[in-house]
Amino acid sequence: MKNRILKNIVVLTFIGIYCSSCSNDFLDTKPLSFTTVENFYQTADDAESALIGCYSALNAQSVQGVWRGNFNSSMTFMLSAGTDELVTRDGLTAIGYAPFGNLAVTSQTPTIEEHFFTMFVGINRCNYLLDAIEDTEMGEQRKAEIIGEAHFLRGLYYMYLAQMYGGVPVYTTGEHDENALREPLEVVYAQIISDFETAYSNLPNRADIQGRANRWSAAGFLAKVYTYLASCKTNGVGADLGFDLNSFDWVDADDFYIRARDITNGIIAQSGYELIDNYDYLFRETTNQFQMEESLFSSVSSSSSIIGNYHVWVQWMVPPGNTTTMGGGYGWFRPTGEMFYRYNALDIRRAHNLSNSFSGSSVTETIEGETYYVPDPADGVTAGFYSVAKYRYVDPSSKPIDISQSMGNYPLLRYADILLLNAEALYMTGDEASARERLTEVRTRSVSDASQVDILDDAYFKADFLEELLDERSREFAFESQRRIDLIRFGKFSEAIMGLDENGGRWNVAVPIMQANLEPYKIWFPIPLTEIELSPIEQNPGY
């Protein structure tokens, strides 16, 4: 795996540096390079700088001078498009984007190579830091926390790799064997769980700097791992492919659901996180301070275009062509009609998550002193002309950075997810009544008057609790890089796509393409061809 090996000479371009003097205490970044590991890891400041390099792979724009993207842009459509939520806009042919919404990804799709590479860059950085940290001169408490953060991030990078590609090589030191083979999922997840458990033991309840992992971040991702594994085993995910490397036969689903129930109960009772009152404030470019009350962990954006780590939402936001005047986007990926009709008209999440286009009017609203343009509402009438409206850019004229870049953080784990994971675990351990109470808890902020939540409960009720839960997860986490994984782990990926109606909305015209490209093996992304050519690892079936 030669293109992932950074060996003894390490060049880390655009490593993020936390700026404690910044007024908002959020992640700020600047370029940093160093030559040899031996010369770098000597002081506490060295270790802190190296740690930011570990974090920066979450939303890296450039690694070794090449554009790379994780949650800065790529993973947002890799994990949301090509589902019953989001399709490629008809006519889009951009090779790095369009295939994800058409289920046409191949081992030569550039974004696949870039994502795979960048994930292992993050893992490599964590490993070098963990190799060196014990000999670094610094306080023992902070050293233990840095160890916890590095384990957390390594576990996170491996978690996404395993969910997207299946078994991958497992490295726990900075010396990576370029001939290493893929490990089976049982081995990969043993490492992931161990990393998150180490993080949980070492980290404080809250970090001193916003955006840094804490013990509840680790606990929450442990819950996500437990429910993912248990649901994959319960629903026989991938069993028909006969590919042992990606098998879930080893999973004890009952045990993992008990673990998920217990750890989410603990987060709910002890963490202090809560649902914020205004759902919309979770996704505005300038309301990060509210997001942090609910988000257990976010990919943190920079407030400077010079220093590299920011988010780019413009590919899929409200179009058309208003990036320079209204803070809109290109609309390369569009919501399905089914997404619109998943919401009851009383559910305020529909208006937050979906819209039509900007009308060209100058209607604005002021949110926490900042101006935003207001898109036309999605009403289900205008030919199903839906757009993603969840992520909102501030008025471009007031932005201190390039208008296509966002100062907004991207939530990766919210308290609402903890509640719904708890609901899943409660149901699977025999307590359906309490599980349904969790659904009601999440829905209560989704109506303007709490007395209306009963209407939503009735409208959304399904006798099969897991079907209702899956729908609720889509309503709550629309376009938050959750849907692909959720459909796969519940065994509903093919069913959801084949159930789409090509006449269900303006952009459902792309549905027949998705359906024609659908194959059972596409629950996994392909291993990049460059990796297959450079090392002896095995490709996923079908590619």
Side-chain angles (χ1 to χ4, degrees), residues 431-467:
D431 190 353
E432 181 174 351
S434 295
R436 290 191 176 278
E437 289 176 4
R438 292 298 187 205
L439 298 188
T440 300
E441 187 174 351
V442 171
R443 292 168 182 160
T444 298
R445 72 157 170 204
S446 301
V447 288
S448 56
D449 185 333
S451 65
Q452 296 174 322
V453 72
D454 290 342
I455 300 175
L456 288 192
D457 283 344
D458 290 341
Y460 294 154
F461 177 83
K462 289 188 175 181
D464 185 328
F465 176 82
L466 293 179
E467 288 188 7

Side-chain angles (χ1 to χ4, degrees), residues 44-45 67 95 158 190 201 231 240 275-276 288 293 306 315 327 342 361 366 378 400 404 437 452 495:
D45 287 344
W67 175 270
I95 189 172
Y158 268 123
S201 298
S231 57
D240 56 331
L275 299 177
I276 67 170
N288 291 326
E293 297 174 20
I306 298 174
Q315 290 95 344
R342 195 164 288 144
S361 69
T366 301
S404 69
E437 289 176 4
Q452 296 174 322
E495 179 183 325

